[in-house]
Amino acid sequence: MQRSFSINPIGVVRKTDDDTCIEIFDDYVDGLMGLEGFSHIFVFYWFHQNDTPEKRKTLQVHPRKDPRNPLTGVFATHSPLRPNLIALTRCKIDALANNIIEVEEIDAHDGTPVIDIKCYIPPEDEAVRLPDWVRMNREDAH
Amino acid sequence: MQRSFSINPIGVVRKTDDDTCIEIFDDYVDGLMGLEGFSHIFVFYWFHQNDTPEKRKTLQVHPRKDPRNPLTGVFATHSPLRPNLIALTRCKIDALANNIIEVEEIDAHDGTPVIDIKCYIPPEDEAVRLPDWVRMNREDAH
């Protein structure tokens, strides 16, 4: 299985001082029908600035580039350095109009290619275990 | 931005009568370090059986192929028909050994290409809104 697959952007992140939105390209607008029923979406985007053979070979990082976090495999993180440069983030929808999804915020730069959107449905059971570095980072954030 | 991006599988879903696991290819095993700290992972796989130009043009579906669910844009669903055939699922880790992640279950067939894995960190705030069809499908499942 060394076949590769092809991803075509369906939209782009647009950020101004006032607004943060996802612009969906005209060819894909029909895919938005019914999105107004959801408060949140999963947005998949491409870490396009890291799309070099070298960066795609990175397999271990200090999460959040913080040396206090232990060296960790990229698959145990959400690092922007990874073999396939898929980013996943959850966004709250502020408004929907035609091909524009206004969102509360998104952790992506202006111009970032968007590759998929899915409705966000929270898991019903949340008994999860997390490593210490995640908990400590969360506490730092508060 | 009509550039396309390239995805290379990092592993494959293996299912037998007794076991469900994700086999990570040798080149990517170093990316698993630290995964043992997490109980759950996000698994990204590719709906490879739908990788035809026709299926990738599908923009509206009845969720879960159930005609009682309203016709809905694929971006407001988790449909396996969509422009970029990325699947996202959350799995509970049963065991980890070398390049094998045993999982409790996964909604993918044996042989499905795995394209990314990320640690699962639940959102801290869960005030979400969902459309009626999601709630009704959930009730049906109980």
Side-chain angles (χ1 to χ4, degrees), chain A residues 6 56 86 118 122 129 138, chain B residues 39 56 86 118 122 138:
Chain A
S6 161
R56 294 183 69 159
I86 300 170
K118 298 186 201 289
R129 187 178 75 249
R138 281 193 158 188
Chain B
S39 58
R56 294 183 69 161
I86 300 169
K118 298 185 200 291
R138 281 193 158 189

Side-chain angles (χ1 to χ4, degrees), chain A residues 7 29 38-39 77-78 113:
Chain A
I7 294 263
V29 171
F38 293 92
S39 60
T77 73
H78 287 237

